[in-house]
Amino acid sequence: YRIAKYHKNDPVLLVKAAWGGKSLYHDFKSPSTAFPSQDFMEEERKGRYKALSMADYKKTFGVYYQNMMDHITTTLMNYSSILEPASSQDGDAKRKPTPIQYEVMGFVWFQGWNDQFSDYARNSYGENLINFIRDVRSDLKLSNLPFVIGTLGVGGLKKMRENSGNKVVQAQTAVSQHEDFVNTVKTVSTAEFWDEEAEEAYATWKTNPTKWAKFGSDHPYHYLGSPLFFYNAGSAFAEAIIELQERPSDK
């Protein structure tokens, strides 16, 4: 809504790619990011990937990055047919949709939970995120594509203060200050949008499901499924995209 209003109510298409339980260092590993050390990979493979050979295990790296990029490029290739009103196609199924000019306004990255659970994932998050931004821009051939990074915000401001040493949050915050990303990357803190009423209702969701249903639908690591949280965070992401659109790029 916010972006459509900014563009005088032109059609807006949100291309969503989201899979739960995925990490940046492994699942969303972008092409220019190096593999972890051999010792780390051997240890990880012995866990959830123990049925795979080392060669097949290495093939699991970056699968969701590629799935994401395939989804984005396929959607953009079919943009006109997606936005064509269904009613206008009823009379002639063979009629090609009218070509529509589009602009890719920006990219929002809101992730990080699953990169908190090993030293390697935490310590490499910043470099991996820098590579990720560069690779997405390269693959989409949009060198200055506005990028908004939503920080981890589970537990709200109090929890973030208690965990002020969280390396993933630190990396998410620092990336917008990188010299290559001046005026094209912005970090948005999401902790301030944490829904305290939903958190309170979650504590008794088993005994008082009626109350819980008014506030949320999921566990804390998914921000309690709070509509209020996602509305406020989404609005902040949109405002950040608009701000980056209006900034002059140095490149």
Side-chain angles (χ1 to χ4, degrees):
Y1 166 79
R2 181 65 187 90
I3 291 176
K5 185 177 180 181
Y6 177 76
H7 278 277
K8 304 185 187 306
N9 295 314
D10 284 343
V12 172
L13 180 64
L14 301 180
V15 185
K16 180 181 177 181
W19 298 274
K22 301 295 180 281
S23 63
L24 180 60
Y25 83 89
H26 189 130
D27 305 290
F28 282 100
K29 174 189 172 299
S30 67
S32 65
T33 292
F35 283 95
S37 69
Q38 190 68 23
D39 288 345
F40 178 89
M41 290 193 293
E42 286 285 3
E43 188 65 28
E44 184 176 66
R45 188 183 67 84
K46 292 176 183 177
R48 58 186 292 199
Y49 301 98
K50 60 185 177 182
L52 301 180
S53 66
M54 176 56 74
D56 287 338
Y57 157 74
K58 290 184 73 173
K59 291 177 183 178
T60 66
F61 280 81
V63 167
Y64 286 89
Y65 176 88
Q66 193 57 57
N67 288 348
M68 175 188 73
M69 294 310 303
D70 288 346
H71 176 57
I72 293 170
T73 54
T74 299
T75 301
L76 294 179
M77 287 172 58
N78 295 286
Y79 185 82
S80 294
S81 62
I82 293 171
L83 287 185
E84 186 85 354
S87 59
S88 68
Q89 299 181 28
D90 293 341
D92 185 358
K94 296 181 180 180
R95 183 171 65 81
K96 293 183 179 180
T98 304
I100 299 173
Q101 295 295 320
Y102 68 84
E103 173 191 6
V104 180
M105 278 199 67
F107 190 108
V108 175
W109 180 249
F110 184 36
Q111 179 273 347
W113 182 264
N114 282 79
D115 287 275
Q116 299 182 98
F117 305 114
S118 76
D119 287 341
Y120 173 78
R122 289 189 295 268
N123 293 334
S124 65
Y125 194 91
E127 182 179 355
N128 295 342
L129 186 54
I130 289 169
N131 292 337
F132 179 89
I133 294 171
R134 288 173 174 161
D135 288 337
V136 168
R137 287 174 166 176
S138 176
D139 286 343
L140 293 178
K141 298 179 173 57
L142 296 168
S143 61
N144 288 317
L145 175 67
F147 241 91
V148 170
I149 309 299
T151 65
L152 287 172
V154 175
L157 292 170
K158 181 181 178 180
K159 192 71 172 180
M160 289 298 104
R161 284 193 291 268
E162 292 172 354
N163 296 326
S164 59
N166 187 307
K167 290 185 177 180
V168 172
V169 175
Q170 290 175 347
Q172 292 170 332
T173 302
V175 69
S176 60
Q177 306 303 315
H178 191 280
E179 60 182 0
D180 290 348
F181 299 152
V182 174
N183 290 332
T184 66
V185 176
K186 182 177 175 63
T187 299
V188 172
S189 172
T190 68
E192 63 194 84
F193 307 127
W194 180 253
D195 188 343
E196 294 183 355
E197 285 188 291
E199 182 178 33
E200 180 183 352
Y202 177 78
T204 58
W205 71 274
K206 288 185 178 180
T207 57
N208 194 348
T210 301
K211 179 180 178 181
W212 168 233
K214 295 179 181 179
F215 295 99
S217 61
D218 210 329
H219 298 294
Y221 52 76
H222 285 156
Y223 299 87
L224 301 161
S226 163
L228 180 64
F229 171 85
F230 285 107
Y231 174 83
N232 287 330
S235 296
F237 295 155
E239 293 291 347
I241 289 288
I242 291 168
E243 180 183 331
L244 291 174
Q245 286 272 314
E246 295 176 339
R247 286 184 185 179
S249 171
D250 290 347
K251 295 184 181 179

